[in-house]
Amino acid sequence: MAAGGWNWFWIVSSMLLGQATVLATGIFNNRSQFRREALARRADRYKVLAERRETFELTHLVEVNTLLRNAMAALLAFSSARHLYRSRMQAEPSEPPESLRQPVTDASDASDAALDALRSQIGFILAHNVRALADVAEEAITRAASGVSLDAPVDFTDVSKKANAAYEALAARLRDIYAAAEAAAPTPSAS
């Protein structure tokens, strides 16, 4: 009976050991599954944030490019209006200056509004080097507008060079973003 008495112990022990193994395997598999799901959620969040950042940056690069072009056009219109005002005042000194001054005031206001719009968006450019070049262009346009207001000589070539450098930097950054997105996109498999 002594030998038979231990058989039930080994049978019960092996059953308990089997159950413990199944339980431990289940716990391990569940933890692995939770870990994989957490990693997948984290990867999805990262992807969504990267897409939002990309969309935000693309939108603002295009917007700043447009606003910079508007500011340059408004500056040139202001300069032309100011030049026309001075020419008319020299040609017709008897005409009241207020009637001639209104187009200059309107052009000055339009230039100020274009510069304000540009200034409000430059800070949203994420790339530091592009933002720095846009700042330089905005400052050059602002100085030029002040020079036009004061009838001081303005070097429009220098202003254009700074604006063109900003345009090029904006365009290069746009190309970089699209190239990175294209490189990251999965390639379709040939069937």
Side-chain angles (χ1 to χ4, degrees):
M1 181 131 166
W6 284 101
N7 280 341
W8 67 269
F9 174 76
W10 291 115
I11 292 172
V12 171
S13 296
S14 64
M15 286 175 46
L16 290 177
L17 185 59
Q19 289 297 324
T21 304
V22 169
L23 183 62
T25 303
I27 290 171
F28 177 75
N29 287 341
N30 284 342
R31 289 188 68 198
S32 295
Q33 180 64 29
F34 289 140
R35 199 172 311 128
R36 281 191 299 273
E37 289 173 359
L39 288 173
R41 283 192 303 272
R42 193 175 314 144
D44 286 344
R45 277 194 305 267
Y46 176 78
K47 183 180 177 184
V48 167
L49 288 174
E51 288 172 355
R52 283 182 185 169
R53 181 186 190 276
E54 185 178 280
T55 302
F56 174 84
E57 189 171 8
L58 287 170
T59 300
H60 282 85
L61 290 171
V62 170
E63 188 170 351
V64 167
N65 186 51
T66 302
L67 293 172
L68 182 59
R69 290 188 186 283
N70 291 347
M72 280 297 293
L75 171 66
L76 295 175
F78 178 40
S79 177
S80 294
R82 187 78 177 161
H83 179 72
L84 183 62
Y85 172 75
R86 284 193 312 267
S87 296
R88 284 189 177 169
M89 285 304 294
Q90 289 173 354
E92 305 168 22
S94 63
E95 190 169 330
E98 198 55 44
S99 65
L100 295 177
R101 192 180 321 260
Q102 190 59 44
V104 175
T105 304
D106 293 344
S108 175
D109 292 344
S111 179
D112 290 343
L115 279 167
D116 288 343
L118 176 61
R119 282 185 204 108
S120 72
Q121 294 301 313
I122 287 177
F124 293 116
I125 298 175
L126 300 179
H128 299 298
N129 59 336
V130 177
R131 186 174 54 245
L133 288 171
D135 277 333
V136 167
E138 180 272 322
E139 289 171 7
I141 295 170
T142 299
R143 282 193 309 275
S146 294
V148 169
S149 292
L150 300 172
D151 288 329
V154 175
D155 184 5
F156 285 102
T157 303
D158 182 56
V159 176
S160 269
K161 284 180 183 176
K162 290 176 180 172
N164 286 336
Y167 295 141
E168 282 301 314
L170 290 163
R173 181 65 187 142
L174 280 167
R175 286 190 302 270
D176 289 346
I177 291 170
Y178 279 113
E182 189 175 284
T187 56
S189 62
S191 300

